[in-house]
Amino acid sequence: MAQGLSGETPGSAATVDCAAVDFDLSADQQALRDAAATLLDRLAGQDALRARVGRGTVVGTLPGAGAAGGDDAGADAVWAAMTEQGWLALEVPHDEDGLGLGMVEVAVLCEQIGRRLVAVPFLPSVLALGALSTTEARADAATKEWRDALAEGSSVGCVALAPAGAIVVDAAGPDGTPRLHGTTPPTTFAPSADVAVVVVPGAVYAVDLRAEGRPDAVPAMDRTRELGVLSFEASPAVAIGGGEAAELVLDRAATLASAEMLGAADRVLSMSVDYAKDRVQFGKPIGSFQAVKHMLADALVDVEGMRSTVYYAAWCAAAGDPDRALAASMAKAWCSDASRRVTGTGLQVHGGIGFTWEHDMHLYVKRAQLDQVSYGDAAFHRDRIATLLRARLASGQGLA
């Protein structure tokens, strides 16, 4: 995202004497977006999506992870292409053979993935890699193997946010290793993951699922992604962070999940506008009716609001801005609610065809429903916003 630029906008000299700010993506970020769109259109278009969900069976993501139902050849090809182009290593520093970019660029990719409902574990793997790359996590030599494997795309990560009381941590087991007891909420791509990052109140742990065993996939309305429940019984774990690390994982997860919702909502809006132009009723395209125009106009406002909150949150994370947590929760709260409204409008505009298996609309609705509750739903993040603002007022900082 472009930084502030010196200069004046038309008419600015007569109103406010300050530098103009460019809120659009930079030229490099736009090029990344266009290249990602081209790659995903070629390898993860509608045919690949239908091959994945056509028979209604959710299977693994990596070669050999699943055996029955569905077709994972498309997902394998996309994952290989992402790996080859360095998508997983986007935030890895140059001196570690990464691209040295930031959260805004990751959000750009997540938006394009969400727009096409791509069935790859990019988001959880990037989140896991980020959690394993903090200074505290790097202090444990065991994390380097996971970081390298995740950055190369040879391993998959998943991230589980456990509510208070769901996971009990035995901080020092018989051998001095922390051990986890309990069950996480359903977690995307857990059945294919090699390492699980488990966030509990005040701490972050990593668990080697290759040793502990991956969970089976559970039935889910969203058929574009796997869902599994992680169960731990004195499972050995590596402590990779404390309270600050837990907040960072939550902020990154909320921001990037919001970016995926943005992409999906934008696609639903485009599909709905195109359908409203083509569908004729009473001798006129339904898009000419005022009620339909109003619904689509409201959906556009929602989508643009999503875009603003997502990229502001991503910029805050990339820049280390003090508003990072607030911006992330604002993005997740707004995008969760807005995505529900936009997909609801899409169903209304499409009418009966939008409810059929043959149309893609229901796939966007179901994916959005899972995203809305992943990494904290809107109510959770509104409560978090209130807590953050209350703390500011208590410290005398004010809300500005």
Side-chain angles (χ1 to χ4, degrees):
M1 185 167 289
Q3 305 297 312
L5 302 175
S6 298
E8 295 179 349
T9 56
S12 65
T15 54
V16 180
D17 183 16
C18 65
V21 178
D22 183 1
F23 289 102
D24 201 356
L25 298 175
S26 68
D28 287 343
Q29 290 159 354
Q30 291 179 34
L32 175 65
R33 178 196 62 198
D34 295 342
T38 299
L39 183 146
L40 295 177
D41 283 340
R42 177 168 57 87
L43 296 177
Q46 187 182 37
D47 290 344
L49 176 62
R50 282 294 166 173
R52 170 79 174 181
V53 305
R55 285 182 281 171
T57 302
V58 178
V59 296
T61 301
L62 296 180
D71 180 2
D72 269 7
D76 295 342
V78 174
W79 189 250
M82 288 180 174
T83 299
E84 182 181 353
Q85 295 197 6
W87 286 22
L88 280 302
L90 204 68
E91 295 178 285
V92 177
H94 287 296
D95 58 8
E96 297 180 18
D97 297 326
L99 298 183
L101 299 176
M103 269 284 284
V104 175
E105 288 78 12
V106 179
V108 167
L109 297 181
C110 285
E111 180 185 353
Q112 296 305 312
I113 288 170
R115 185 177 181 84
R116 293 159 184 82
L117 308 185
V118 184
V120 292
F122 176 77
L123 171 56
S125 294
V126 166
L127 292 176
L129 178 56
L132 290 161
S133 299
T134 63
T135 301
E136 192 170 353
R138 288 172 179 271
D140 193 309
T143 63
K144 186 179 188 308
E145 177 188 353
W146 288 329
R147 288 198 305 274
D148 291 344
L150 289 169
E152 294 169 355
S154 58
S155 289
V156 168
C158 68
V159 175
L161 302 184
I167 299 293
V168 176
V169 181
D170 182 358
D175 57 355
T177 300
R179 293 185 176 270
L180 308 186
H181 308 258
T183 302
T184 70
T187 302
T188 53
F189 290 106
S192 283
D194 298 292
V195 58
V197 171
V198 182
V199 182
V200 300
V204 185
Y205 296 90
V207 179
D208 188 344
L209 296 182
R210 297 168 300 184
E212 293 303 303
R214 301 178 179 93
D216 293 330
V218 299
M221 291 293 291
D222 175 20
R223 298 176 185 268
T224 66
R225 293 175 293 189
E226 295 175 311
L227 206 59
V229 175
L230 295 167
S231 295
F232 303 116
E233 296 181 7
S235 301
V238 176
I240 59 173
E244 290 186 7
E247 292 297 307
L248 178 59
V249 174
L250 175 58
D251 294 343
R252 286 170 53 82
T255 299
L256 297 180
S258 298
E260 283 207 0
M261 282 191 282
L262 164 62
D266 193 29
R267 176 60 180 149
V268 166
L269 177 59
S270 298
M271 292 165 58
S272 301
V273 169
D274 290 343
Y275 185 79
K277 292 177 180 178
D278 294 338
R279 176 73 167 89
V280 174
Q281 186 72 344
F282 306 115
K284 297 180 180 179
I286 63 172
S288 66
F289 301 142
Q290 191 174 51
V292 176
K293 289 179 181 178
H294 286 178
M295 286 194 297
L296 293 174
D298 288 342
L300 175 61
V301 171
D302 273 335
V303 169
E304 291 307 309
M306 294 171 75
R307 193 179 312 281
S308 296
T309 59
V310 164
Y311 283 106
Y312 177 64
W315 177 84
C316 284
D321 191 272
D323 278 342
R324 186 198 71 207
L326 185 61
S329 281
M330 290 175 67
K332 189 59 166 67
W334 174 262
C335 290
S336 294
D337 287 340
S339 130
R340 184 179 66 252
R341 292 191 294 266
V342 172
T343 53
T345 293
L347 283 174
Q348 275 197 290
V349 170
H350 280 82
I353 188 66
F355 289 83
T356 63
W357 180 262
E358 289 73 20
H359 200 280
D360 289 344
M361 181 59 65
H362 71 98
L363 299 175
Y364 283 89
V365 173
K366 293 167 184 173
R367 178 132 166 176
Q369 288 173 337
L370 180 56
D371 282 335
Q372 288 157 18
V373 298
S374 296
Y375 310 118
D377 62 8
F380 170 88
H381 283 282
R382 280 192 288 268
D383 286 345
R384 188 171 184 238
I385 291 168
T387 300
L388 292 168
L389 294 180
R390 189 181 301 116
R392 281 192 181 186
L393 288 174
S395 65
Q397 296 180 47
L399 301 181

